[in-house]
Amino acid sequence: MSDFNDSDGRRFALKFISGKYQGGMFPLKPGREIVVGRSSDMDMVLVEDMVSRKHAKISTAEGKIVIQDLGSTNGTFVNGEKVRKARLKEGDRILIGTSILKLVALEEDAGRKSYSDDEVKSMMEQVAASKGRASSPMSGRIDEVPIPDLLQLFSTSKKSGVLVVRSNDHEGKVYLRQGKVYYASIDNRHEIGPQKAFNRIVGWTEGFFELTGPSEEKFMVELDESTEGLLMDAMRSMDELGRIKDHLPAPGTRYALAKPMSPALRDLEPDQLDVLQAVHNHGRVDAILDESLLPDLETYQALLHLIRSGYIREAR
C-alpha cells in the first residue's frame, strides 16, 4: 500500500521533532485510520506515562488528514490548541504526551518506498532506543519548533518545568508552573530581569531546547502576566525592532559622550538620561542593553535619539 498522497500526488508523514521518538517518521497511508496510544497493540505506539492507552486517531481519506482525540487523560493539541477533532494541514504541529509531531510532505525519493506496519514500528523502536534513557523526554531544535510555539503548547497543556534553550553560546531558562511563565533568565544573570530575558529568548531562532523538571529555585520577583500576554508583548517588541533593525548599531559597537557636547542635557527625557549614563559607564551596546532598566526596544530607541541628536558618538 502506498503512502498517503493528496490531489497533487504529494505524500505525507508525521515527523517526530521532539520527545522520545525525535527523528522518527511515520508515513501515512490512504484510507487508513491510525490509532495512537501507549498500548502495544496500537498502530502508533508511544511508550510514556502521559499518553493514554488509546489516545488519538488519525484518519486519511479523500485527500484529508483528520486527527481526533479519543478521550485521553492529558489531551491532544494542534498548534497549541487542545482539540477534540481537527483537520490537519502541512506544517501543523501535534502534541501528544511529550512528543511533538509535524505533518510534512515527503521528498520524492523518500516517498517512493512503502513501509509495512511492522517496519514502521521497528523504526520507531530503534529511534527511541538510540536516544538512550538519559536524554530529555522533550527536546529538539528551535528552528523546527519556534520558542513561541513551544510556550503556547506548554501553556495550553499546563506543563511545569524549566525550558532550557541554548543558542549562540548563551543559555536561556524559562520557568513554567502549570503552563504559566513565572520567571526567565539568560546565563543565570538575574540582574537583566525576567521580562527582558524572556523577550530576548523568544526572539532566538537557532539552537536547541529541552524541557527539564520543575525547579526548586526561589525568585524575589516573578512575572505576573499570563503566558499569552507575555508572548504578545515579546512579539510586538520583536516587530518594532524589526522595523528599525537597519539603523541599530551592532552589539559590540562602543559609544562615548560627545566632546564637546552641544545639545543641552535638560532637553532629554529621564529615560534618555538613564541610557546616557549607561553609555558613560559601559560604552558597549550589549552592556548598555543589560545595564538599562528599560526594555531592549525602549533602550535602543533612546540610544538612537542620543546618537542622532549628537549626545554620543562612536568610540574609535
Side-chain angles (χ1 to χ4, degrees):
M1 186 178 288
S2 62
D3 299 331
F4 175 78
N5 58 84
D6 63 9
S7 57
D8 296 326
R10 295 187 304 165
R11 295 177 177 181
F12 290 89
L14 292 169
K15 179 182 178 182
F16 286 80
I17 56 178
S18 176
K20 181 178 180 180
Y21 302 93
Q22 182 185 351
M25 193 84 75
F26 197 103
L28 300 179
K29 298 178 179 181
R32 171 75 182 275
E33 286 188 349
I34 298 166
V35 181
V36 184
R38 191 176 68 245
S39 176
S40 60
D41 59 350
M42 297 296 103
D43 303 300
M44 182 189 292
V45 181
L46 303 181
V47 185
E48 56 170 286
D49 293 340
M50 291 187 66
V51 175
S52 296
R53 189 188 69 80
K54 199 173 183 180
H55 197 107
K57 177 175 67 176
I58 300 170
S59 306
T60 57
E62 300 178 354
K64 298 177 183 179
I65 306 175
V66 176
I67 188 167
Q68 179 181 351
D69 185 77
L70 298 177
S72 65
T73 302
N74 293 298
T76 300
F77 301 83
V78 177
N79 298 329
E81 294 186 10
K82 191 173 185 178
V83 300
R84 293 180 64 184
K85 189 174 184 179
R87 182 175 176 180
L88 300 176
K89 61 183 183 301
E90 184 179 355
D92 280 349
R93 297 181 180 90
I94 304 158
L95 175 66
I96 296 177
T98 63
S99 292
I100 301 177
L101 304 89
K102 183 177 181 181
L103 183 64
V104 299
L106 292 171
E107 297 291 336
E108 185 176 351
D109 290 342
R112 287 175 182 167
K113 180 173 176 56
S114 180
Y115 295 96
S116 68
D117 294 345
D118 289 340
E119 286 177 316
V120 172
K121 285 185 179 181
S122 176
M123 286 189 294
M124 290 181 61
E125 289 170 358
Q126 290 174 17
V127 169
S130 68
K131 290 196 70 178
R133 293 183 179 179
S135 62
S136 171
M138 183 172 279
S139 61
R141 298 174 55 91
I142 58 178
D143 57 342
E144 284 273 20
V145 197
I147 299 299
D149 290 8
L150 269 176
L151 292 172
Q152 188 64 49
L153 283 170
F154 295 161
S155 174
T156 312
S157 55
K158 300 188 181 301
K159 299 282 188 191
S160 295
V162 182
L163 175 64
V164 181
V165 187
R166 297 178 179 88
S167 177
N168 297 324
D169 298 324
H170 292 290
E171 181 180 83
K173 294 179 181 178
V174 179
Y175 295 76
L176 297 146
R177 186 186 294 127
Q178 290 294 303
K180 183 184 183 300
V181 174
Y182 66 92
Y183 195 77
S185 67
I186 296 176
D187 298 330
N188 291 319
R189 296 183 57 201
H190 301 283
E191 67 274 14
I192 293 176
Q195 179 81 61
K196 186 180 291 188
F198 178 83
N199 285 2
R200 290 184 186 179
I201 293 168
V202 168
W204 293 354
T205 57
E206 296 180 351
F208 301 87
F209 75 86
E210 64 175 328
L211 182 67
T212 64
S215 172
E216 298 297 326
E217 293 180 79
K218 304 294 182 183
F219 305 107
M220 295 185 65
V221 178
E222 291 192 0
L223 297 169
D224 293 328
E225 197 169 356
S226 67
T227 297
E228 291 74 15
L230 289 169
L231 282 171
M232 286 180 64
D233 183 68
M235 300 302 285
R236 179 191 64 80
S237 295
M238 287 169 55
D239 288 343
E240 292 296 326
L241 283 170
R243 292 189 181 97
I244 61 174
K245 66 179 181 179
D246 292 339
H247 304 287
L248 300 180
T253 307
R254 298 188 68 88
Y255 284 91
L257 302 184
K259 295 181 181 179
M261 185 185 293
S262 300
L265 291 175
R266 63 175 175 271
D267 294 334
L268 292 175
E269 300 290 335
D271 287 345
Q272 294 168 343
L273 280 170
D274 288 343
V275 174
L276 184 68
Q277 184 175 3
V279 172
H280 179 63
N281 290 341
H282 301 282
R284 278 176 58 108
V285 170
D286 50 4
I288 294 166
L289 291 167
D290 290 346
E291 172 72 10
S292 174
L293 297 178
L294 299 170
D296 286 343
L297 174 61
E298 281 88 342
T299 302
Y300 268 125
Q301 290 171 333
L303 195 60
L304 289 177
H305 177 78
L306 295 174
I307 295 169
R308 291 165 177 168
S309 301
Y311 289 95
I312 62 176
R313 58 173 175 78
E314 188 173 344
R316 302 294 182 183

